[in-house]
Amino acid sequence: GSVDVTVAVARDYVAPRNDTERRLVAIWAEVLNRSPETIGVNDNFFELGGHSLSAVRLTAKINMGFGRLLPLAVMFTAPNIAALATLIASEEAEPFKILVPIQTNGTVRPVFGVPGAGGNVVSLQPLSRALGRRQPFYGLQAVGLDGQTRPLDSVEQTARANIAALKAVQPLGPYSLIGHSYGGVVAYEMARVLLEQGDDIASLTLLDTRAPSVMQGQLARDEADELVEACTVAAGLNGIVLDLEADQLRQLPDDAKIQYIGGLLHARGIEGAGEQFAAFYKVYRANLLCYRDYVPRPLSRAIDVSLYRATQTRDGATPRDYGWSQLLRDQLRIHDVEANHHSILEKADLLEMAGASFAPPELDDAAHEFVSPLEP
């Protein structure tokens, strides 16, 4: 396995300067299990040892403490206490952005990641860490996680919205796309549209993604099953396992189901989970419907496509290629990863195997050097 070398950036300690910053330091100290004196207002959450699970917990605590519904992606857009305090102080809610900068250092072409159903980009953070500090990495989060915007209705619509967001950062190809689970289907459609528009695709990486033809034969039976699945995913993002039976849920009226799950999450120490789960579940359901209705068209050109299969969740009914070969012009590269459907995101060695697919050569020509317009 690879050794995770996190370069600690030496920042000058800056003490909290107002009540909001002091309250935030206290919340960070609790979530990170550190003493408050060791946390300065300019320190980066992930550099202090935060990870995707603690980011979920942190956002929930901040939302509870300040009566806000900040999206999870705020941990990338405002990764320190000073930036968070400014955001909390500003009255207007942050406009919903699809594109989330997860790691912006490096001059090579970026990699764009699409998360699974529920659209939560925080789940992609381990992938970015595996790709390293010189590989820019952007997440494309689902519309609707703010609890206000309506989720998108189709894979095609999602792909178009994602392409518009991606073009704002990298106007010209070749593009490197990674998608996990349902996100792989969105990434496939993005690649298909980009090729049709004359753009180049450097690589398309599918992480345990079943092609729609295969997925549509294996869908959850009814809404109670779907709720259990969504709840399992949400709990997994929080690093906990919930004992939940579809039969228990079937007996509850619809609005009580979400409240019941919010209560379970709350009982496991995730405050404010009800509202966040309701928004997440709305997006999750919409994504499943998109998955169900999507009829993919084949790619117009041969491109480099890799499929990573999670060996711990395989079943006999799924074909070896997960149903993708019929849509491709060229052979599919298949890699097996000792992981389950969700832990595959944490298995960094997946990227060592695919070393060639990522980190395109540094762009020599200074005129083409890739600089993100999102950098301050």
Side-chain angles (χ1 to χ4, degrees), residues 45-121:
F45 179 72
F46 295 110
E47 283 166 10
L48 292 180
H51 51 73
S52 46
L53 302 181
S54 45
V56 179
R57 229 166 261 153
L58 184 78
T59 320
K61 280 187 186 299
I62 291 170
N63 284 334
M64 271 294 278
F66 291 94
R68 298 295 295 266
L69 191 58
L70 295 174
L72 255 173
V74 77
M75 292 318 305
F76 299 116
T77 51
N80 61 42
I81 283 170
L84 271 171
T86 309
L87 197 65
I88 288 165
S90 75
E91 277 311 299
E92 76 280 2
E94 199 187 356
F96 189 83
K97 292 189 193 70
I98 288 174
L99 190 85
V100 180
I102 293 179
Q103 205 290 104
T104 54
N105 302 324
T107 55
V108 297
R109 281 190 304 269
V111 170
F112 295 92
V114 190
N120 199 316
V121 292

Side-chain angles (χ1 to χ4, degrees), residues 52-290:
S52 46
L53 302 181
S54 45
V56 179
R57 229 166 261 153
L58 184 78
T59 320
K61 280 187 186 299
I62 291 170
N63 284 334
M64 271 294 278
F66 291 94
R68 298 295 295 266
L69 191 58
L70 295 174
L72 255 173
V74 77
M75 292 318 305
F76 299 116
T77 51
N80 61 42
I81 283 170
L84 271 171
T86 309
L87 197 65
I88 288 165
S90 75
E91 277 311 299
E92 76 280 2
E94 199 187 356
F96 189 83
K97 292 189 193 70
I98 288 174
L99 190 85
V100 180
I102 293 179
Q103 205 290 104
T104 54
N105 302 324
T107 55
V108 297
R109 281 190 304 269
V111 170
F112 295 92
V114 190
N120 199 316
V121 292
V122 174
S123 63
L124 300 174
Q125 207 247 337
L127 277 185
S128 176
R129 283 178 61 173
L131 284 168
R133 299 181 67 89
R134 294 181 62 217
Q135 174 60 69
F137 188 89
Y138 292 85
L140 295 159
Q141 71 176 333
V143 171
L145 290 174
D146 57 356
Q148 277 124 41
T149 326
R150 233 186 106 219
L152 298 178
D153 290 328
S154 69
V155 168
E156 292 86 347
Q157 195 187 4
T158 309
R160 282 195 297 273
N162 284 359
I163 288 171
L166 153 159
K167 292 261 180 188
V169 166
Q170 186 189 342
L172 301 169
Y175 295 103
S176 299
L177 306 174
I178 299 184
H180 171 237
S181 190
Y182 166 70
V185 172
V186 174
Y188 171 85
E189 176 64 13
M190 288 171 67
R192 195 193 66 73
V193 172
L194 286 163
L195 289 173
E196 214 166 69
Q197 293 174 357
D199 279 303
D200 288 325
I201 302 291
S203 63
L204 170 62
T205 305
L206 308 170
L207 302 181
D208 214 42
T209 298
R210 285 155 181 73
S213 59
V214 169
M215 161 66 180
Q216 285 151 6
Q218 304 175 338
L219 279 169
R221 276 73 53 212
D222 65 3
E223 195 188 344
D225 289 315
E226 262 172 30
L227 254 174
V228 170
E229 276 173 26
C231 192
T232 308
V233 173
L237 281 167
N238 285 287
I240 59 175
V241 177
L242 289 182
D243 307 317
L244 189 62
E245 298 275 322
D247 293 340
Q248 289 174 298
L249 282 175
R250 278 193 193 91
Q251 288 148 28
L252 297 170
D254 279 357
D255 48 349
K257 290 185 174 105
I258 302 280
Q259 283 174 333
Y260 173 70
I261 288 172
L264 282 181
L265 291 166
H266 191 91
R268 299 299 298 272
I270 307 163
E271 309 95 318
E275 258 184 24
Q276 249 179 345
F277 180 73
F280 171 82
Y281 180 59
K282 234 186 191 147
V283 172
Y284 186 90
R285 268 211 95 182
N287 291 170
L288 280 192
L289 292 171
C290 292

Side-chain angles (χ1 to χ4, degrees), residues 321-362:
D321 68 351
Y322 280 22
W324 287 107
S325 299
Q326 64 200 43
L327 295 167
L328 308 178
R329 287 290 179 103
D330 208 1
Q331 211 180 343
L332 176 69
R333 288 203 262 183
I334 298 177
H335 306 275
D336 281 343
V337 181
E338 183 57 37
N340 65 35
H341 186 63
H342 295 290
S343 68
I344 194 166
L345 289 164
E346 313 273 339
K347 303 289 180 181
D349 51 354
L350 141 167
L351 297 157
E352 284 171 16
M353 297 191 287
S357 315
F358 302 103
E362 298 277 341

